[in-house]
Amino acid sequence: MFQTFKEWFWLERFWLPPTIKWSDLEDRDGFTFSKPSHLYLTIPLALLLLIIRHFFEKFVATPIAKTFGIKKATRKIIPNSILENFFKASTKRPSHDDIYGLAKKSNLTERQVERWFRSRRSQERPCQLKKFQEACWRFTFYLLLTVAGIAFLYDKPWAYDLWQVWVDYPRQSLLPSQYWYYMLEMSFYWSLLFSVGSDVKRKDFLANVIHHLAALCLMGFSWCANYIRGGTLVMVVHDVADIWLESAKMFSYAGWKKTCNGLFFIFSIVFFISRFIVYPFWILYCTIILPLHYLDPFFSYVFLNLQLLLLQVLHLYWGYFILKMLKRCIFMETIQDVRSDDEEEEEDEEEEEKDTKSKEIKCVKNGLGAGRHLIPNGQHSR
């Protein structure tokens, strides 16, 4: 049964133009072609990247974070077995009725129970150091991929003349630079997918998983169908913007708000140019329109372009959030990553702000300042 499925899956009509056979893409006369078996290497390479990432975060990212004054936060709370058992066994966000019952059982006020649960939730959230380590690793690897992509493509004719992407397709020999560029890119996305459970969970968690799977599917398919030239163009167009986003995050976690804002504006410009100008009017034009001058439409041509269009839908999704961040930056003079911040963290911060304000109001009413120092008579309104 498996053999039957394998034979059906690799039918030439699914992958190649009608007049081409798999035998036409066998290595001969000094010409080497991409093969599905090459992709097996991406899995062990991804596992190797996870090991490298562990040591990078420990010996490179952490010292850099310390120079910025970022330390591993220690959030301490008063131990309470009743509340702890409820937190672990029932829910991290108790209802008002639950809080009322827990306050009675633990001999605390409802406000104290609410604060305890808020502090306990904050213990499980990733600290700034972990976020900085992640951003630092991604920045480093995106930078490496961008430099590698530019180095591999700068002297290739199809980087400047899109017609060259389809000349002699699919009998286009595989270059060593193309091989390693694909291996690095796919291994990196596999490693991101493997670590998605341990990385900081963000609002766009599902969109990120879809993006990683779509990217791997697209790169794997383009490799097997020998769309290598077009694939390298797609990869470099996407990598060039991500380095600016990750660098902006690094400076945001370090508290360098002006530098973060400046880098985020650069990222926004590069993102909108690469995703909404270069990608649709250069890449999609190259993959949808130009091949029709050489070939009749066939299955892999349709499937490839459906994947590329799905990628453009994801661009629109993230573009919407980037516009929201730009709006917030312009009118509030600060950038908060509404695309990727933790929703629970935002809610808890809002509750803490309200709690702090209510404390200050009570203190002022009682003749105390915000630091609980006595306010001299006649100075309450100053």
Side-chain angles (χ1 to χ4, degrees), residues 6-248:
K6 183 180 177 182
E7 290 174 0
W8 171 83
F9 184 79
W10 292 110
L11 283 175
E12 289 152 342
R13 70 171 182 266
F14 291 153
W15 297 90
L16 303 172
T19 58
I20 304 296
K21 306 294 182 184
W22 287 118
S23 57
D24 297 326
L25 300 180
E26 293 179 358
D27 298 347
R28 63 168 69 90
D29 302 326
F31 287 92
T32 304
F33 299 97
S34 60
K35 296 176 179 60
S37 58
H38 292 158
L39 300 181
Y40 294 143
L41 181 62
T42 61
I43 302 299
L45 280 178
L47 298 175
L48 178 62
L49 282 180
L50 290 175
I51 296 171
I52 294 172
R53 173 181 172 175
H54 171 76
F55 288 103
F56 176 89
E57 290 182 351
K58 185 175 182 180
F59 296 109
V60 179
T62 300
I64 293 173
K66 287 181 180 178
T67 62
F68 283 112
I70 303 172
K71 297 179 182 179
K72 190 172 183 179
T74 54
R75 304 180 177 106
K76 295 181 180 179
I77 61 171
I78 300 171
N80 189 304
S81 58
I82 295 173
L83 301 183
E84 183 67 27
N85 290 335
F86 187 90
F87 183 88
K88 290 180 177 179
S90 298
T91 178
K92 298 177 182 180
R93 288 187 169 273
S95 65
H96 181 73
D97 291 337
D98 291 332
I99 291 172
Y100 178 79
L102 289 168
K104 293 289 186 183
K105 288 181 183 179
S106 56
N107 199 27
L108 297 171
T109 65
E110 291 181 32
R111 176 61 72 182
Q112 286 173 325
V113 172
E114 287 175 356
R115 288 176 191 157
W116 189 94
F117 273 93
R118 190 160 59 241
S119 299
R120 183 64 180 84
R121 286 194 299 270
S122 71
Q123 279 190 327
E124 298 203 335
R125 286 199 300 267
C127 61
Q128 294 292 83
L129 177 61
K130 180 172 173 58
K131 293 179 181 179
F132 183 90
Q133 289 171 333
E134 278 187 23
C136 190
W137 165 249
R138 295 189 187 203
F139 164 78
T140 303
F141 214 87
Y142 280 129
L143 180 61
L144 172 65
L145 290 173
T146 302
V147 172
I150 293 171
F152 294 157
L153 286 170
Y154 85 97
D155 60 344
K156 305 299 185 293
W158 55 85
Y160 309 97
D161 181 7
L162 295 179
W163 290 98
Q164 294 294 320
V165 170
W166 297 101
V167 171
D168 296 329
Y169 174 82
R171 298 184 184 90
Q172 298 170 340
S173 183
L174 177 67
L175 302 176
S177 59
Q178 293 172 325
Y179 173 84
W180 286 110
Y181 190 26
Y182 258 82
M183 294 301 107
L184 280 173
E185 191 89 26
M186 290 192 70
S187 301
F188 179 62
Y189 275 100
W190 274 121
S191 71
L192 291 181
L193 200 60
F194 293 157
S195 64
V196 74
S198 59
D199 287 345
V200 177
K201 191 171 182 180
R202 306 177 187 276
K203 281 184 182 179
D204 61 348
F205 172 81
L206 182 59
N208 262 323
V209 171
I210 293 172
H211 174 267
H212 297 339
L213 289 173
L216 286 166
C217 183
L218 179 58
M219 287 186 283
F221 181 82
S222 67
W223 180 267
C224 294
N226 207 26
Y227 293 114
I228 307 297
R229 293 182 181 180
T232 53
L233 296 178
V234 172
M235 290 189 295
V236 76
V237 164
H238 283 78
D239 291 337
V240 72
D242 291 326
I243 55 176
W244 300 102
L245 175 62
E246 299 304 330
S247 60

Side-chain angles (χ1 to χ4, degrees), residues 322-337:
I322 290 168
L323 286 175
K324 285 182 70 175
M325 285 185 275
L326 284 173
K327 179 181 177 183
R328 181 173 293 185
C329 179
I330 292 169
F331 292 104
M332 299 177 63
E333 298 183 353
T334 183
I335 288 178
Q336 182 180 3
D337 191 350

